[in-house]
């Protein structure tokens, strides 16, 4: 849907009755048709801007240009559409600016020593009072493991920043009284930028931190020792990284279609078309994403300057500092633990169809209408995330904290044939019968019938009833999915 320029839309039709026989089994409950413009005579330019009266900047800008011409032999249309929208964040509205249940893990982590029941989860004294839930005098005890909470509503967006630029062109040429050729060309580029709350680290088991970490606050060390934790026992930490996660996505797609349509006689018309479409997307996790192995090594002084994790605290090992709100870090460590994770995908569809419709036979002097068609298409998809973002089969986790995606690669051929008839028994009552057979090269075939009744006793009252079946083959992304 995002690949359609808004100015190219003539109208939108909503069919609430089952239409699986004509449109495919996914239309078992109805279908929405986005009908594009075929012709336009003249030039039209339009610009619209909008914003909210709130302090937040939610400005939107849409500009489009239409040019069209037509005569007895040819019609042409060109649409150019641009749209830009600023981000709209949870924090921008009073009803959503505060999370009802703050996160269990905060940017000031909590620490404990599992296996030492005298030592409960503790948080540094530097944790802001408004976020502290560790049960110290004057502050509430933890609720659902909240010790120094973080409000994720400060980071997340209802609508991300978005830019769209698209063009759509169509041409129709009349080759005779009963024959015309038509073509369409469409191109679109979409860019979006979204943010998310800081990534959580530690998981249910916690992240091991050396007790002799050089940045451990003295007051926290004293409370841990007073609780019975031994000076040589590792801490377990649960927290979130201090920076916002950022995702950038750019999608480019184009579609071309050409066909012929005409009349066989006064009762029958036909249409044949072939098309090709291609989409390319690049997704980049550009902020707030951390290399898990290097981060865990940095908590224990095992991180080497070359990115390996075989050093030790006494042989040049570098440290990640989980204390003090994690705001004070060695620049060398940050460069090693932060990752920019790309993900590239592309898909293509080649299709062809032939349809014929008209009238044949009659009931009570009323013509029976028919529609028949055949379709075929070739689909291909490839979704290739960075190896760091894909799930590791040995660990069951991606190689980074804060982002994960699965790969997919598949292709298939699909074909279908359908027939539909409309039987007008009376002026106010008709019956629709239809059937469709689909075949997929990777999942076999299936036949789906459809029956529809319509009774219109007056100009203001219509009764409808329908029954139809449908099936759904797995999408290419599902059929060719990698490890989840």
């Amino acid at each position: 849907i995002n690949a359609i320029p808004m100015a190219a839309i003539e109208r939108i039709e909503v069919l609430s009755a089952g239409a699986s026989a004509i449109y495919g089994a996914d239309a078992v409950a109805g279908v929405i048709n986005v009908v594009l413009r075929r012709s336009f005579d003249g030039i039209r330019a339009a610009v619209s801007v909008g914003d909210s009266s709130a302090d937040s900047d939610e400005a939107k800008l849409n500009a489009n240009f239409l040019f069209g011409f037509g005569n007895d032999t040819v019609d042409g249309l060109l649409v150019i559409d641009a749209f830009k929208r600023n981000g709209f964040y949870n924090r921008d509205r009073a009803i959503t600016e505060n999370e009802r249940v703050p996160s269990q893990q905060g940017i000031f982590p909590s620490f404990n020593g599992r296996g030492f029941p005298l030592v409960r989860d503790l948080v540094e004294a530097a944790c802001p009072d408004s976020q502290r839930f560790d049960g110290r005098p004057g502050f509430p005890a933890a609720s659902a493991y909240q010790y120094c909470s973080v409000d994720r509503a400060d980071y997340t967006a209802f609508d991300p920043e978005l830019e769209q630029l698209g063009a759509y062109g169509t041409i129709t040429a009349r080759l005779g009284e009963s024959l015309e050729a038509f073509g369409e060309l469409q191109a679109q580029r979409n860019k979006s930028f979204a943010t998310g709350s800081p990534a959580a680290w530690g998981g249910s088991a916690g992240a091991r931190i050396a007790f002799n970490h050089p940045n451990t606050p003295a007051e926290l060390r004293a409370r841990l020792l007073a609780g019975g934790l031994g000076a040589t026992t590792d801490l377990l930490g649960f927290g979130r990284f201090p920076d916002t996660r950022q995702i950038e996505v750019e999608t480019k797609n184009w579609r071309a279609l050409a066909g012929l349509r005409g009349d066989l006689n006064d009762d029958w018309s036909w249409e044949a078309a072939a098309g090709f479409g291609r989409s390319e997307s690049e997704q980049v996790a550009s902020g707030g994403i951390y290399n898990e192995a290097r981060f865990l090594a940095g908590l224990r002084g095992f991180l080497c300057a070359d990115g390996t994790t075989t050093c030790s605290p006494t042989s040049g090992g570098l440290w990640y500092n989980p204390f003090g709100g994690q705001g004070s870090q060695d620049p060398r460590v940050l460069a090693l633990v932060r990752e920019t994770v790309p993900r590239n995908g592309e898909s293509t569809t080649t299709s062809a169809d032939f349809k014929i419709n008209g009238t044949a036979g009659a009931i009570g002097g009323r013509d029976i209408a028919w529609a028949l068609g055949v379709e075929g298409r070739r689909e291909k998809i490839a979704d290739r995330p960075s190896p760091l973002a894909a799930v590791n089969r040995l660990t069951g986790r991606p190689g980074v904290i804060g982002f994960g995606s699965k790969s997919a690669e598949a292709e298939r051929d699909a074909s279908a044939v359908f027939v539909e008839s409309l039987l007008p028994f009376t002026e106010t009552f008709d019956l629709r019968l239809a059937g469709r057979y689909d075949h997929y090269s990777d999942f076999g075939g299936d036949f789906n019938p459809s029956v529809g009744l319509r009774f219109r006793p007056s100009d203001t009252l219509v009764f409808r009833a329908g029954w139809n079946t449908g099936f759904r083959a797995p999408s290419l992304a599902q059929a060719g999915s990698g490890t989840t």
Side-chain angles (χ1 to χ4, degrees), residues 262-319:
D263 298 324
L264 294 176
N265 51 43
D266 292 340
D267 296 327
W268 289 86
S269 61
W270 61 273
E271 179 179 295
F276 178 80
R278 181 181 180 88
S279 177
E280 298 177 352
S281 290
E282 181 183 31
Q283 181 186 63
V284 178
S286 57
I289 311 301
Y290 285 74
N291 185 294
E292 183 179 48
R294 293 177 182 175
F295 165 72
L296 295 177
L299 294 176
R300 297 173 56 76
F302 294 162
L303 179 61
C304 305
D306 62 359
T308 59
T309 57
T310 56
C311 292
S312 70
T314 58
S315 63
L318 302 177
W319 295 87

Side-chain angles (χ1 to χ4, degrees), residues 70-75 172-176:
N71 52 44
D72 293 339
T73 59
V74 65
D75 292 320
T172 302
R174 282 167 283 281
L175 307 179

Side-chain angles (χ1 to χ4, degrees), residues 348-361:
T348 60
T349 302
T350 304
S351 62
D353 63 69
F354 177 80
K355 292 174 282 190
I356 184 170
N357 63 84
T359 60

Side-chain angles (χ1 to χ4, degrees), residues 151-237:
D151 193 338
R152 289 170 292 190
D154 291 339
Y155 305 91
T156 52
F158 284 118
D159 289 319
E161 297 178 24
L162 177 65
E163 294 181 7
Q164 296 178 317
L165 179 63
Y168 168 74
T170 181
I171 190 166
T172 302
R174 282 167 283 281
L175 307 179
E177 291 186 2
S178 61
L179 181 65
E180 66 180 26
F182 59 92
E184 296 181 10
L185 184 63
Q186 176 185 332
Q188 183 85 5
R189 189 200 70 174
N190 295 345
K191 296 181 69 175
S192 64
F193 174 77
T195 62
S197 59
W201 54 262
S204 59
R208 295 177 62 194
I209 304 168
F211 189 89
N212 61 350
H213 193 293
N215 300 109
T216 305
E219 59 85 20
L220 177 64
R221 185 191 303 270
R223 282 189 287 139
L224 289 167
L225 291 172
L229 185 65
T232 60
T233 303
D234 288 338
L235 305 177
L236 290 180

